[in-house]
Amino acid sequence: MSENVHVMLTEEEVAGRIKELGKEISGDYEGRELLVVGILKGAAFFATELAKRITVPVRMEFMSTSSYGSSTVSSGTVKIKQDIETDVAGMNVLIAEDIIDSGRTLAFLLDYFKKKGAESVRIATLLDKPDRREVDVNVDYNGFTIPDEFVVGYGLDYDQKYRNLPYIGILELD
């Protein structure tokens, strides 16, 4: 099997949009502290770059969930592989996700943080694929809405490869 990657969003487009999202989030949280929770491994690049663009006080945590394994299709079951250390009770939580596909992971995490007593829980995603949505979730901060293509780069992977690409590309498998 051979693999090809074609650029969908350039490095410059991604950086520019993250800067805009940071400005919007900073305005929305003016005068408050924010806990940014990056979802590993995919959102590590996005969460870090986004946090650098937010001007209000930011705490950062990372957690790991799983629903894909080595497949290009979600299994439908969300598991927490690594939780955060911070007690979120009374905090403003911003979940930073690389891509929203079925919506299952984000619906799970919204409920999870609300049950733990977060004052507010919002979602920031680099990419949104609404054509694949199975569970309705409100995306508060959306980088790009994309068509139903399998994408890699900027943290997104296929079987743990391609995360290091500085752009978002469409993966074609032969």
Side-chain angles (χ1 to χ4, degrees):
M1 178 188 305
S2 66
E3 302 164 11
N4 266 325
V5 179
H6 302 282
V7 176
M8 174 186 271
L9 297 165
T10 67
E11 183 175 7
E12 294 76 20
E13 289 171 311
V14 171
R17 184 65 183 125
I18 292 172
K19 185 176 181 181
E20 291 169 2
L21 289 173
K23 185 176 181 180
E24 184 180 349
I25 292 165
S26 298
D28 289 351
Y29 287 94
E30 192 170 332
R32 296 184 284 169
E33 185 176 279
L34 187 60
L35 174 64
V36 176
V37 178
I39 308 304
L40 296 173
K41 299 178 186 171
F45 289 68
F46 174 59
T48 303
E49 286 302 313
L50 182 63
K52 289 179 354 185
R53 306 295 178 252
I54 297 173
T55 58
V56 299
V58 169
R59 291 185 190 194
M60 279 199 79
E61 284 267 8
F62 289 91
M63 71 186 301
S64 179
T65 63
S66 177
S67 68
Y68 278 83
S70 293
S71 176
T72 61
V73 179
S74 174
S75 68
T77 302
V78 179
K79 297 176 186 168
I80 293 179
K81 294 168 60 176
Q82 175 187 322
D83 205 345
I84 64 172
E85 296 177 4
T86 302
D87 178 2
V88 300
M91 297 190 80
N92 296 298
V93 176
L94 180 67
I95 301 168
E97 181 63 292
D98 55 356
I99 188 166
I100 301 177
D101 205 354
S102 71
R104 291 180 192 276
T105 300
L106 273 297
F108 173 86
L109 290 174
L110 282 169
D111 185 57
Y112 181 76
F113 287 121
K114 286 177 184 172
K115 284 180 178 173
K116 292 207 171 260
E119 180 177 317
S120 69
V121 184
R122 291 187 178 174
I123 298 169
T125 187
L126 179 58
L127 304 172
D128 186 14
K129 241 194 246 188
D131 292 345
R132 302 269 308 182
R133 197 76 82 247
E134 296 173 14
V135 178
D136 189 32
V137 291
N138 180 47
V139 179
D140 302 282
Y141 307 101
N142 180 22
F144 300 93
T145 299
I146 63 168
D148 187 12
E149 300 280 356
F150 194 83
V151 291
V152 294
Y154 211 84
L156 294 132
D157 75 298
Y158 171 68
D159 201 19
Q160 301 302 322
K161 296 184 287 186
Y162 304 109
R163 288 190 197 280
N164 61 317
L165 296 176
Y167 57 86
I168 303 296
I170 298 170
L171 178 65
E172 293 180 2
L173 302 171
D174 296 333

Short mmCIF file of all heavy atoms in Angstrom, two decimals, residues 16-51:
data_model
loop_
_atom_site.label_atom_id
_atom_site.label_comp_id
_atom_site.label_asym_id
_atom_site.label_seq_id
_atom_site.Cartn_x
_atom_site.Cartn_y
_atom_site.Cartn_z
N GLY A 16 -2.30 31.66 10.85
CA GLY A 16 -3.14 32.86 10.83
C GLY A 16 -4.47 32.64 11.53
O GLY A 16 -4.94 33.50 12.29
N ARG A 17 -5.07 31.48 11.29
CA ARG A 17 -6.37 31.20 11.90
C ARG A 17 -6.23 30.99 13.41
O ARG A 17 -7.08 31.43 14.18
CB ARG A 17 -7.02 29.97 11.24
CG ARG A 17 -8.40 29.69 11.75
CD ARG A 17 -9.40 30.80 11.40
NE ARG A 17 -10.69 30.51 11.97
CZ ARG A 17 -11.36 31.34 12.77
NH1 ARG A 17 -10.88 32.54 13.05
NH2 ARG A 17 -12.52 30.99 13.27
N ILE A 18 -5.16 30.34 13.85
CA ILE A 18 -4.94 30.14 15.28
C ILE A 18 -4.76 31.50 15.98
O ILE A 18 -5.28 31.71 17.08
CB ILE A 18 -3.75 29.20 15.55
CG1 ILE A 18 -4.11 27.78 15.07
CG2 ILE A 18 -3.37 29.20 17.02
CD1 ILE A 18 -2.96 26.81 15.10
N LYS A 19 -4.07 32.41 15.34
CA LYS A 19 -3.89 33.75 15.90
C LYS A 19 -5.25 34.43 16.07
O LYS A 19 -5.53 35.05 17.11
CB LYS A 19 -2.99 34.58 14.98
CG LYS A 19 -2.63 35.93 15.51
CD LYS A 19 -1.65 36.64 14.59
CE LYS A 19 -1.28 38.00 15.15
NZ LYS A 19 -0.36 38.72 14.26
N GLU A 20 -6.14 34.31 15.08
CA GLU A 20 -7.49 34.89 15.16
C GLU A 20 -8.29 34.26 16.29
O GLU A 20 -8.99 34.96 17.04
CB GLU A 20 -8.24 34.70 13.84
CG GLU A 20 -7.69 35.51 12.69
CD GLU A 20 -8.30 35.09 11.34
OE1 GLU A 20 -9.18 34.20 11.30
OE2 GLU A 20 -7.89 35.69 10.32
N LEU A 21 -8.20 32.93 16.43
CA LEU A 21 -8.92 32.24 17.50
C LEU A 21 -8.43 32.71 18.87
O LEU A 21 -9.22 32.92 19.79
CB LEU A 21 -8.76 30.73 17.38
CG LEU A 21 -9.48 30.05 16.22
CD1 LEU A 21 -9.07 28.58 16.14
CD2 LEU A 21 -10.99 30.18 16.35
N GLY A 22 -7.12 32.87 19.02
CA GLY A 22 -6.54 33.35 20.28
C GLY A 22 -7.07 34.72 20.66
O GLY A 22 -7.39 34.97 21.82
N LYS A 23 -7.20 35.59 19.69
CA LYS A 23 -7.72 36.93 19.94
C LYS A 23 -9.18 36.86 20.37
O LYS A 23 -9.60 37.54 21.32
CB LYS A 23 -7.58 37.78 18.67
CG LYS A 23 -7.96 39.21 18.84
CD LYS A 23 -7.71 40.02 17.58
CE LYS A 23 -8.09 41.48 17.79
NZ LYS A 23 -7.86 42.28 16.60
N GLU A 24 -9.98 36.04 19.69
CA GLU A 24 -11.39 35.89 20.03
C GLU A 24 -11.57 35.31 21.44
O GLU A 24 -12.37 35.81 22.24
CB GLU A 24 -12.08 34.98 19.00
CG GLU A 24 -13.56 34.84 19.21
CD GLU A 24 -14.22 33.93 18.17
OE1 GLU A 24 -13.58 33.57 17.17
OE2 GLU A 24 -15.39 33.58 18.40
N ILE A 25 -10.81 34.28 21.75
CA ILE A 25 -10.90 33.64 23.07
C ILE A 25 -10.46 34.62 24.15
O ILE A 25 -11.09 34.73 25.21
CB ILE A 25 -10.05 32.35 23.09
CG1 ILE A 25 -10.70 31.29 22.18
CG2 ILE A 25 -9.87 31.83 24.52
CD1 ILE A 25 -9.79 30.12 21.83
N SER A 26 -9.40 35.36 23.90
CA SER A 26 -8.91 36.35 24.87
C SER A 26 -9.99 37.38 25.19
O SER A 26 -10.18 37.75 26.35
CB SER A 26 -7.67 37.06 24.33
OG SER A 26 -6.62 36.14 24.13
N GLY A 27 -10.71 37.83 24.18
CA GLY A 27 -11.80 38.78 24.39
C GLY A 27 -12.93 38.18 25.20
O GLY A 27 -13.48 38.82 26.10
N ASP A 28 -13.27 36.94 24.91
CA ASP A 28 -14.37 36.27 25.60
C ASP A 28 -14.06 35.99 27.07
O ASP A 28 -14.97 35.92 27.90
CB ASP A 28 -14.74 34.96 24.91
CG ASP A 28 -15.43 35.18 23.57
OD1 ASP A 28 -15.79 36.34 23.25
OD2 ASP A 28 -15.62 34.18 22.83
N TYR A 29 -12.79 35.81 27.40
CA TYR A 29 -12.40 35.46 28.78
C TYR A 29 -11.69 36.61 29.49
O TYR A 29 -11.04 36.39 30.51
CB TYR A 29 -11.53 34.21 28.79
CG TYR A 29 -12.31 32.95 28.51
CD1 TYR A 29 -12.40 32.44 27.22
CD2 TYR A 29 -12.98 32.29 29.54
CE1 TYR A 29 -13.13 31.29 26.96
CE2 TYR A 29 -13.72 31.15 29.28
CZ TYR A 29 -13.79 30.66 28.00
OH TYR A 29 -14.52 29.53 27.75
N GLU A 30 -11.81 37.82 28.99
CA GLU A 30 -11.14 38.96 29.59
C GLU A 30 -11.45 39.05 31.08
O GLU A 30 -12.61 38.93 31.50
CB GLU A 30 -11.57 40.26 28.89
CG GLU A 30 -10.72 41.44 29.26
CD GLU A 30 -11.00 42.64 28.39
OE1 GLU A 30 -11.42 42.47 27.23
OE2 GLU A 30 -10.78 43.75 28.88
N GLY A 31 -10.41 39.19 31.89
CA GLY A 31 -10.57 39.31 33.33
C GLY A 31 -10.72 37.98 34.06
O GLY A 31 -10.92 37.95 35.27
N ARG A 32 -10.63 36.87 33.33
CA ARG A 32 -10.78 35.55 33.96
C ARG A 32 -9.59 34.67 33.58
O ARG A 32 -8.89 34.92 32.61
CB ARG A 32 -12.07 34.87 33.47
CG ARG A 32 -13.31 35.64 33.90
CD ARG A 32 -14.57 34.92 33.49
NE ARG A 32 -14.79 35.09 32.05
CZ ARG A 32 -15.69 34.40 31.35
NH1 ARG A 32 -16.42 33.48 31.94
NH2 ARG A 32 -15.84 34.62 30.06
N GLU A 33 -9.39 33.64 34.36
CA GLU A 33 -8.35 32.65 34.08
C GLU A 33 -8.96 31.50 33.29
O GLU A 33 -10.14 31.18 33.47
CB GLU A 33 -7.76 32.13 35.39
CG GLU A 33 -6.59 31.19 35.17
CD GLU A 33 -5.96 30.76 36.49
OE1 GLU A 33 -5.15 31.53 37.04
OE2 GLU A 33 -6.27 29.64 36.94
N LEU A 34 -8.16 30.87 32.48
CA LEU A 34 -8.63 29.81 31.60
C LEU A 34 -7.75 28.57 31.74
O LEU A 34 -6.53 28.68 31.80
CB LEU A 34 -8.58 30.31 30.15
CG LEU A 34 -9.17 29.46 29.05
CD1 LEU A 34 -10.65 29.20 29.27
CD2 LEU A 34 -8.97 30.16 27.70
N LEU A 35 -8.39 27.41 31.83
CA LEU A 35 -7.67 26.15 31.80
C LEU A 35 -7.83 25.56 30.40
O LEU A 35 -8.94 25.20 30.01
CB LEU A 35 -8.21 25.16 32.84
CG LEU A 35 -7.61 23.75 32.79
CD1 LEU A 35 -6.11 23.76 33.09
CD2 LEU A 35 -8.35 22.81 33.73
N VAL A 36 -6.74 25.51 29.66
CA VAL A 36 -6.75 24.91 28.32
C VAL A 36 -6.36 23.44 28.48
O VAL A 36 -5.29 23.14 29.00
CB VAL A 36 -5.78 25.62 27.36
CG1 VAL A 36 -5.73 24.91 26.02
CG2 VAL A 36 -6.18 27.09 27.19
N VAL A 37 -7.25 22.55 28.04
CA VAL A 37 -6.99 21.12 28.11
C VAL A 37 -6.80 20.60 26.69
O VAL A 37 -7.77 20.51 25.91
CB VAL A 37 -8.15 20.36 28.82
CG1 VAL A 37 -7.86 18.86 28.84
CG2 VAL A 37 -8.36 20.89 30.23
N GLY A 38 -5.57 20.28 26.35
CA GLY A 38 -5.26 19.72 25.05
C GLY A 38 -5.48 18.22 25.06
O GLY A 38 -5.12 17.54 26.03
N ILE A 39 -6.09 17.72 24.00
CA ILE A 39 -6.37 16.29 23.90
C ILE A 39 -5.25 15.63 23.08
O ILE A 39 -5.09 15.91 21.90
CB ILE A 39 -7.76 16.04 23.27
CG1 ILE A 39 -8.85 16.85 24.00
CG2 ILE A 39 -8.08 14.55 23.26
CD1 ILE A 39 -8.93 16.59 25.50
N LEU A 40 -4.50 14.78 23.77
CA LEU A 40 -3.34 14.11 23.16
C LEU A 40 -3.76 12.95 22.27
O LEU A 40 -4.81 12.37 22.49
CB LEU A 40 -2.41 13.58 24.25
CG LEU A 40 -1.77 14.63 25.14
CD1 LEU A 40 -1.00 13.97 26.27
CD2 LEU A 40 -0.85 15.53 24.34
N LYS A 41 -2.98 12.63 21.34
CA LYS A 41 -1.74 13.27 20.95
C LYS A 41 -2.02 14.36 19.91
O LYS A 41 -1.26 15.31 19.78
CB LYS A 41 -0.77 12.26 20.35
CG LYS A 41 -0.37 11.16 21.29
CD LYS A 41 0.56 10.17 20.60
CE LYS A 41 0.84 9.00 21.51
NZ LYS A 41 1.55 7.94 20.82
N GLY A 42 -3.09 14.21 19.18
CA GLY A 42 -3.36 15.06 18.02
C GLY A 42 -3.38 16.54 18.27
O GLY A 42 -2.91 17.32 17.44
N ALA A 43 -3.94 16.99 19.38
CA ALA A 43 -4.11 18.43 19.61
C ALA A 43 -2.91 19.09 20.26
O ALA A 43 -2.96 20.28 20.56
CB ALA A 43 -5.36 18.68 20.44
N ALA A 44 -1.82 18.37 20.48
CA ALA A 44 -0.65 18.96 21.15
C ALA A 44 -0.15 20.20 20.41
O ALA A 44 0.10 21.24 21.02
CB ALA A 44 0.47 17.93 21.28
N PHE A 45 -0.03 20.13 19.09
CA PHE A 45 0.45 21.27 18.31
C PHE A 45 -0.54 22.43 18.42
O PHE A 45 -0.16 23.56 18.70
CB PHE A 45 0.57 20.89 16.83
CG PHE A 45 1.69 19.96 16.49
CD1 PHE A 45 1.68 18.64 16.91
CD2 PHE A 45 2.76 20.38 15.72
CE1 PHE A 45 2.70 17.77 16.58
CE2 PHE A 45 3.79 19.52 15.38
CZ PHE A 45 3.76 18.21 15.82
N PHE A 46 -1.81 22.15 18.18
CA PHE A 46 -2.86 23.18 18.20
C PHE A 46 -2.99 23.81 19.59
O PHE A 46 -3.02 25.04 19.73
CB PHE A 46 -4.19 22.59 17.75
CG PHE A 46 -5.36 23.52 17.87
CD1 PHE A 46 -5.38 24.74 17.20
CD2 PHE A 46 -6.46 23.18 18.64
CE1 PHE A 46 -6.47 25.61 17.31
CE2 PHE A 46 -7.55 24.03 18.75
CZ PHE A 46 -7.55 25.25 18.09
N ALA A 47 -3.08 23.00 20.63
CA ALA A 47 -3.27 23.52 21.99
C ALA A 47 -2.12 24.44 22.39
O ALA A 47 -2.34 25.51 22.98
CB ALA A 47 -3.40 22.37 22.98
N THR A 48 -0.90 24.05 22.08
CA THR A 48 0.27 24.84 22.43
C THR A 48 0.29 26.17 21.68
O THR A 48 0.49 27.23 22.26
CB THR A 48 1.55 24.04 22.14
OG1 THR A 48 1.49 22.81 22.86
CG2 THR A 48 2.79 24.81 22.55
N GLU A 49 0.06 26.11 20.37
CA GLU A 49 0.05 27.34 19.57
C GLU A 49 -1.10 28.26 19.98
O GLU A 49 -0.94 29.47 20.04
CB GLU A 49 -0.03 27.01 18.08
CG GLU A 49 1.26 26.49 17.50
CD GLU A 49 2.43 27.46 17.67
OE1 GLU A 49 2.29 28.67 17.40
OE2 GLU A 49 3.51 26.99 18.09
N LEU A 50 -2.26 27.68 20.26
CA LEU A 50 -3.41 28.48 20.68
C LEU A 50 -3.14 29.16 22.01
O LEU A 50 -3.38 30.36 22.17
CB LEU A 50 -4.66 27.59 20.78
CG LEU A 50 -5.95 28.28 21.17
CD1 LEU A 50 -6.36 29.32 20.11
CD2 LEU A 50 -7.07 27.25 21.37
N ALA A 51 -2.60 28.43 22.98
CA ALA A 51 -2.30 29.00 24.30
C ALA A 51 -1.34 30.18 24.19
O ALA A 51 -1.47 31.17 24.91
CB ALA A 51 -1.74 27.92 25.23
#
